[in-house]
Amino acid sequence: MQSKEVAKIFSEIAQILELKGENPFRVRAYERAARTIEDLGEKLKVIADQDKLTTLPGIGADLAEKIKEMLKTGSLKYYQQLKKEIPSGLFDMLKIQGLGPKTVKLIYDKLGIDTIESLKKAIDAGKLNQIEGIREKTQENILRGIEFIKKSKEHFSFYEANKVAEKFIEKIKKFKGVKKIELAGSLRRKKSEVKDIDILAISKNPESVMDKFTKLDLADDVLAKGPTKSSIIAKENNIQVDLRVLDEKSFGSAMVYFTGSKDFNVRLRQLAIKKGYKINEYGVFDVASSKKEKLLAAGTEREIFSLMKLDYIPAELREDRGEIEAAKKGGLPKLIEKKDIKGDLHVHSKYSDGKESIEEIAKAAKRRGYDYIGISDHSQSLKIASGLSIKELHKKIEEVKKINKKLPGIKVLCGTEADILMDGSIDYPDSVLKELDYVIAAIHSGFKQSKEQITKRIIKACKNKYVNIIAHPTGILQGIRDAYQVDLEKIYQAASDFNVALEINCHPQRMDLSDLRVMEAKSKKAKLFLGTDSHTLEQLDFIELGINISRRGWLTKKDVINCFKTDELKKWLKK
DNA sequence: GCCGTTTTCGGCCCGACTGTTTTCAGTCG
């Protein structure tokens, strides 16, 4: 059984227990365990084999046994029993906005309704009026929630959500009396996938801000509107936007509260309790020493962290993945920043399927302040993307030499994105590869091969003395094609052993190597590389999406080869 | 169900908004 399934079963158990009205803390224990396991990925098996499951946060003796049972037998008796008690359609009903476990259970108990479709029919037929406590408004909301599920998505990419968020911020910024406006929530944490958009505004007149916000052209539907907090559904993408308004004096505590993940906030508040404090969006309060709560800090995030005896934790790390412990000990990494990026190496030119000439790309890179830019066109067997024959490649090498002579201030490197063939060999012979400044190797065929075969192919490519980078190591195309089967643990090790960098592909359609995978690669001492996979000049901007992932993956300048200065990089490329 | 420089039992983050209520439970983040 895969770790993902183990996590899914725990989170379903949590839902069943919630529907049954069990102890909410027990429910939370299952939810937390599910998240822990989800974060771990396939490392779960290693930890289980070492019999160290109970060292994981939120996993005690009981859940450890359940995990072992699932890994060993592929199922869980306790779960099978629970499942009999609750029809699976109730899980779907829980996805309806505003409809929680209590109401779902009530409707099921009274009317036997156990699917979204039958719920809709029952409302249309007026049957829900029989249930005490469910009147007209609630029914309207349920119907609206059902419609919303049909037209919206559960997740949005950072890229698409951020574009919508920028439009809202532009508008809200102009409201009278808005002093500050900041993006918060998962977008501020730069998560690759987000569920909604959270915005924080500072104003002395929150009601008027709420009025204008809920009446914006950009808004389709108003989910909730209060004096300090409102939620709307944006017309674009049907994504939910939450706006919270607070006074300037609580700006710091509001940002902390509105930025951290659920788990991070819980951990921070628990830490506060231990110190005799209370943290909420209005500040940190001393509740232990005197009868009256005393405000200790609220103005800036730094004040809050310093009061908690923590180093400042960058927004991207606020996930409860060990950053609080690290901040206590002064052990947080110095995360990479945009200014640390010296260049890009995964760029396609007109030679293959890119839009611009090498010279145009070089000039654009110079404008961006890069020290170098590498041009990596496809290799001969990738005919569909106009892969270069050896003859064409030689022509390209000559052109790069000429451009380097005439264009000062930027170094152009001549590379290739060569295919890893079915047997793991590279699509150009070594005699050709050695003429290039660097080699990116990638899988573009044989996606259906077994996990062992693909893993073997990539490891063989790593062993080639001219291969410097493995591009898009999982082959995923977001929403179009699943990742191929590959044993990433082994790839991290091979990359580390043979001095090959693994690509964080920055293209929004690819986004290979998530933050968590990046952390794993780093733990094996593998180097990472940010590649935009640009086919147009605008796409060079995708580097920022890669920086987001790197920061969330705790990467520093030393971990990312794009941060090497030209000489340093050249030396590294020589393996 | 987890967890312990106050605890091995008794806690477990905190507050806004809604709908249906006459003071609050349910839901959400």
Side-chain angles (χ1 to χ4, degrees):
Chain A
M1 184 181 267
Q2 295 219 328
S3 305
K4 224 190 241 173
E5 293 171 69
V6 175
K8 193 164 170 252
I9 287 176
F10 276 169
S11 87
E12 275 192 28
I13 290 175
Q15 285 191 316
I16 296 172
L17 295 177
E18 211 175 13
L19 285 164
K20 288 179 63 174
E22 287 254 5
N23 178 354
F25 297 105
R26 207 175 149 219
V27 172
R28 229 182 64 191
Y30 277 95
E31 283 172 351
R32 175 145 191 248
R35 278 194 299 268
T36 300
I37 293 164
E38 179 95 40
D39 274 9
L40 275 174
E42 295 310 305
K43 265 195 297 190
L44 179 71
K45 279 171 198 152
V46 181
I47 298 168
D49 287 343
Q50 296 169 339
D51 213 13
K52 285 185 177 164
L53 286 171
T54 52
T55 63
L56 295 169
I59 309 281
D62 184 273
L63 293 182
E65 276 311 308
K66 289 192 166 77
I67 293 170
K68 279 192 218 161
E69 185 186 333
M70 282 186 268
L71 292 178
K72 202 175 158 197
T73 69
S75 76
L76 181 66
K77 284 203 187 90
Y78 175 62
Y79 170 63
Q80 298 302 337
Q81 276 164 5
L82 276 181
K83 249 193 354 185
K84 285 181 201 150
E85 299 178 38
I86 302 284
S88 64
L90 298 195
F91 299 146
D92 295 330
M93 287 166 68
L94 282 175
K95 289 189 185 129
I96 299 168
Q97 175 84 250
L99 200 58
K102 293 281 191 300
T103 320
V104 166
K105 185 69 179 356
L106 182 69
I107 295 173
Y108 172 63
D109 285 343
K110 296 276 182 196
L111 300 172
I113 290 170
D114 60 3
T115 64
I116 290 185
E117 297 77 61
S118 57
L119 176 61
K120 188 173 184 311
K121 276 183 198 153
I123 294 175
D124 289 342
K127 284 188 192 157
L128 254 69
N129 293 317
Q130 299 166 26
I131 303 175
E132 206 169 320
I134 299 184
R135 297 273 79 88
E136 205 173 327
K137 274 272 190 183
T138 305
Q139 297 183 31
E140 272 176 32
N141 284 339
I142 293 174
L143 289 177
R144 203 163 55 157
I146 293 173
E147 279 311 301
F148 182 67
I149 288 177
K150 282 185 198 157
K151 67 181 181 185
S152 185
K153 294 190 287 184
E154 270 185 72
H155 292 283
F156 304 88
S157 72
F158 172 87
Y159 188 65
E160 60 185 341
N162 197 48
K163 278 197 282 192
V164 178
E166 280 173 359
K167 288 180 193 171
F168 274 91
I169 287 177
E170 263 320 296
K171 292 275 186 189
I172 299 167
K173 201 189 275 178
K174 289 179 188 143
F175 292 173
K176 204 179 158 203
V178 169
K179 203 164 175 193
K180 255 188 203 148
I181 176 117
E182 295 284 347
L183 196 55
S186 48
L187 274 179
R188 181 170 178 232
R189 299 201 308 277
K190 308 285 167 67
K191 267 190 87 171
S192 298
E193 290 211 310
V194 304
K195 285 183 176 168
D196 62 4
I197 295 170
D198 296 308
I199 301 171
L200 177 70
I202 296 300
S203 174
K204 290 265 185 227
N205 195 352
E207 282 97 343
S208 118
V209 175
M210 291 291 99
D211 271 343
K212 288 181 190 146
F213 171 63
T214 49
K215 285 178 189 150
L216 277 176
D217 278 352
L218 299 166
D220 191 21
D221 206 350
V222 179
L223 292 177
K225 185 187 171 210
T228 71
K229 183 184 171 186
S230 295
S231 298
I232 61 99
I233 300 296
K235 280 181 186 160
E236 190 171 349
N237 287 335
N238 287 306
I239 185 167
Q240 182 173 332
V241 185
D242 297 340
L243 179 67
R244 179 77 195 262
V245 184
L246 279 124
D247 189 88
E248 186 163 28
K249 58 177 189 279
S250 1
F251 181 64
S253 46
M255 282 296 274
V256 170
Y257 146 81
F258 222 29
T259 298
S261 75
K262 186 188 169 86
D263 289 334
F264 176 87
N265 283 349
V266 169
R267 285 293 310 281
L268 196 67
R269 285 165 182 176
Q270 281 171 343
L271 201 63
I273 292 170
K274 273 190 199 157
K275 293 184 191 296
Y277 303 157
K278 179 180 77 173
I279 294 190
N280 57 27
E281 59 265 55
Y282 303 105
V284 183
F285 299 87
D286 187 341
V287 287
S289 55
S290 63
K291 278 168 224 151
K292 223 179 127 199
E293 288 183 359
K294 190 178 157 217
L295 178 67
L296 299 174
T300 68
E301 289 192 322
R302 285 188 189 277
E303 281 174 47
I304 314 268
F305 285 121
S306 120
L307 198 62
M308 301 297 298
K309 300 265 185 300
L310 298 172
D311 287 346
Y312 179 82
I313 302 176
E316 294 90 334
L317 300 188
R318 300 182 201 170
E319 296 283 352
D320 190 23
R321 290 177 179 163
E323 69 282 3
I324 292 178
E325 290 72 15
K328 266 185 207 167
K329 294 184 292 198
L332 285 172
K334 190 172 183 317
L335 302 180
I336 76 160
E337 296 173 42
K338 196 176 170 185
K339 67 172 169 55
D340 297 327
I341 303 292
K342 307 286 182 215
D344 194 347
L345 298 171
H346 194 165
V347 182
H348 296 268
S349 77
K350 260 185 186 168
Y351 270 87
S352 62
D353 56 350
K355 210 174 155 196
E356 272 90 18
S357 70
I358 296 178
E359 189 169 342
E360 284 168 317
I361 296 167
K363 283 178 178 165
K366 195 178 162 184
R367 284 197 295 276
R368 304 178 72 88
Y370 283 168
D371 292 352
Y372 55 84
I373 185 80
I375 313 293
S376 57
D377 286 298
H378 291 290
S379 61
Q380 47 192 355
S381 61
L382 202 65
K383 300 268 190 298
I384 190 166
S386 311
L388 273 59
S389 67
I390 292 174
K391 198 175 158 196
E392 288 168 311
L393 188 60
H394 280 134
K395 204 178 132 198
K396 184 176 144 181
I397 293 172
E398 289 311 310
E399 184 177 339
V400 168
K401 278 183 192 161
K402 273 185 210 157
I403 294 172
N404 273 325
K405 269 183 200 152
K406 86 173 194 195
L407 208 65
I410 182 94
K411 173 79 184 165
V412 182
L413 300 173
C414 190
T416 177
E417 181 188 1
D419 273 29
I420 299 172
L421 301 173
M422 297 300 265
D423 65 351
S425 60
I426 306 296
D427 192 21
Y428 292 124
D430 283 0
S431 59
V432 172
L433 294 179
K434 77 173 188 195
E435 295 179 69
L436 295 164
D437 292 315
Y438 67 99
V439 174
I440 300 178
I443 294 223
H444 288 118
S445 60
F447 296 101
K448 295 266 161 67
Q449 278 185 327
S450 71
K451 190 174 191 171
E452 290 69 33
Q453 283 175 308
I454 292 198
T455 307
K456 232 171 110 183
R457 264 167 93 187
I458 298 178
I459 291 174
K460 189 172 169 191
C462 290
K463 286 181 182 166
N464 182 302
K465 68 176 188 177
Y466 299 108
V467 169
N468 305 112
I469 292 165
I470 299 294
H472 40 75
T474 75
I476 194 167
L477 285 179
Q478 302 289 343
I480 298 170
R481 183 178 73 206
D482 282 342
Y484 41 67
Q485 296 291 310
V486 57
D487 188 340
L488 283 173
E489 290 284 322
K490 288 192 177 134
I491 303 300
Y492 304 146
Q493 194 59 55
S496 171
D497 291 345
F498 303 109
N499 239 356
V500 167
L502 297 174
E503 181 183 59
I504 298 173
N505 191 295
C506 312
H507 199 293
Q509 272 204 336
R510 287 195 174 269
M511 304 303 273
D512 260 71
L513 293 194
S514 63
D515 45 8
L516 292 164
R517 303 292 89 83
V518 165
M519 289 172 94
E520 288 166 13
K522 178 176 172 168
S523 76
K524 291 263 165 71
K525 298 195 165 56
K527 291 269 184 276
L528 284 304
F529 158 69
L530 306 188
T532 57
D533 211 341
S534 289
H535 290 73
T536 69
L537 295 183
E538 298 78 57
Q539 292 180 351
L540 289 169
D541 284 338
F542 291 157
I543 196 82
E544 295 205 23
L545 301 176
I547 295 171
N548 292 346
I549 293 173
S550 307
R551 288 176 63 85
R552 288 181 57 80
W554 294 52
L555 298 188
T556 67
K557 281 201 283 190
K558 283 185 184 154
D559 303 313
V560 178
I561 66 167
N562 310 60
C563 300
F564 295 173
K565 293 191 183 104
T566 312
D567 290 346
E568 219 179 328
L569 177 75
K570 278 186 161 175
K571 208 171 136 192
W572 186 82
L573 290 172
K574 292 243 151 49
K575 297 185 88 164

